[in-house]
């Protein structure tokens, strides 16, 4: 999915690169080289995972004109499942913020640490006068803890934007992924667990063509 000025992934990658923090950044001594693949199964979060946090999470609704389809977003570890759930909602919040034209959207802020919120807001601002339509597929999640205290984690996943488009709000003109650029993008994120059980995304990097 793209816009005429810059594709979604490219805009995100440019701002994320300024952070100079890889997914394994921070005080933890663990490396992102230890990434492990997530288990696959049904799309529904487990009941035990949902019960792991007492936080009241925002309800994020996407219009019928845009769909984000998540495939294989389950894990046998209930706590890692909450990482997947909150990482998923952070991406959905990003899409919802673009559609609403709100770079400071409460749902985006809820799931983002300071650096990731700055990155996400910049991404949304890049879509001034535009919206997004069609659908994206989000797949191949890889989630693992960073360190022994299990309060930091990395989450990698792929997004296929080949059926997603940007749309000019005035003219209605749509644009897909620019010719020569891959519509498949790998997102590399790090997350930290809050006291209320919410896993906030702390950093985000993207690499088109890495999936």
């Amino acid at each position: 999915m793209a816009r005429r000025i810059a594709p979604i992934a490219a805009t995100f990658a440019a701002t994320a690169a300024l952070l100079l923090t890889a997914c394994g950044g921070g005080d933890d001594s663990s490396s992102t080289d230890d990434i492990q693949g997530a288990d696959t199964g049904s799309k529904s979060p487990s009941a035990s995972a949902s019960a792991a946090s007492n936080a009241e999470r925002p309800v994020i609704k996407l219009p019928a004109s845009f769909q984000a389809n998540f495939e294989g977003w389950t894990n046998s570890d209930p706590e890692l499942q909450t990482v997947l759930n909150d990482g998923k909602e952070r991406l959905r919040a990003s899409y919802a913020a673009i559609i609403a034209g709100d770079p400071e959207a409460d749902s985006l802020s809820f799931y983002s640490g300071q650096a990731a919120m700055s990155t996400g807001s910049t991404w949304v601002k890049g879509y001034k006068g535009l919206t997004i339509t069609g659908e994206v597929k989000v797949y191949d999640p890889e989630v693992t803890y960073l360190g022994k205290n299990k309060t930091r984690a990395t989450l990698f996943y792929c997004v296929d934007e080949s059926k997603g488009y940007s749309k000019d709000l005035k003219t209605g003109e749509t644009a897909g992924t620019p010719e020569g650029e891959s519509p498949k993008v790998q997102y590399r994120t790090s997350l930290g667990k809050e006291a209320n059980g919410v896993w906030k995304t702390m950093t985000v990097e993207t690499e088109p063509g890495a999936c």
Side-chain angles (χ1 to χ4, degrees):
M1 179 169 45
R3 60 189 294 266
R4 289 203 177 278
I5 297 176
I8 282 182
T11 304
F12 217 8
T15 53
L18 297 176
L19 300 176
L20 298 179
T21 52
C23 292
D27 297 330
D28 228 312
S29 59
S30 298
S31 167
T32 53
D33 292 338
D34 299 327
I35 293 290
Q36 301 169 358
D39 296 343
T40 59
S42 70
K43 297 181 181 179
S44 301
S46 66
S48 57
S50 299
S53 171
N54 58 7
E56 185 175 346
R57 288 166 168 77
V59 176
I60 300 169
K61 295 183 178 180
L62 296 174
S65 58
F66 179 81
Q67 297 179 25
N69 302 316
F70 291 78
E71 297 184 0
W73 279 67
T74 60
N75 194 284
S76 58
D77 182 319
E79 185 59 33
L80 283 178
Q81 183 63 52
T82 65
V83 180
L84 289 174
N85 293 347
D86 289 345
K88 169 183 175 179
E89 289 304 287
R90 200 271 175 181
L91 181 61
R92 293 182 70 250
S94 300
Y95 291 141
I98 290 175
I99 294 168
D102 183 3
E104 305 299 327
D106 290 343
S107 58
L108 182 58
S109 176
F110 183 89
Y111 287 109
S112 302
Q114 183 175 2
M117 184 62 191
S118 176
T119 301
S121 293
T122 300
W123 187 33
V124 174
K125 289 176 183 177
Y127 277 78
K128 185 176 181 180
L130 301 171
T131 188
I132 50 179
T133 64
E135 63 182 83
V136 296
K137 181 177 75 172
V138 191
Y139 63 103
D140 282 354
E142 300 177 349
V143 60
T144 190
Y145 294 119
L146 282 173
K148 297 180 180 180
N149 61 6
K150 297 184 178 181
T151 59
R152 283 180 57 83
T154 58
L155 172 59
F156 286 22
Y157 55 87
C158 292
V159 180
D160 183 348
E161 301 181 339
S162 58
K163 296 182 179 180
Y165 307 91
S166 62
K167 181 179 180 180
D168 189 295
L169 290 172
K170 289 185 177 180
T171 67
E173 183 181 8
T174 60
T177 303
E179 186 176 353
E181 294 186 17
S182 174
K184 296 181 179 180
V185 184
Q186 185 180 60
Y187 284 64
R188 302 167 180 174
T189 69
S190 67
L191 301 93
K193 187 177 182 181
E194 300 285 291
N196 62 0
V198 175
W199 285 88
K200 284 198 172 187
T201 295
M202 309 308 291
T203 62
V204 181
E205 294 182 352
T206 63
E207 185 175 347
C211 293

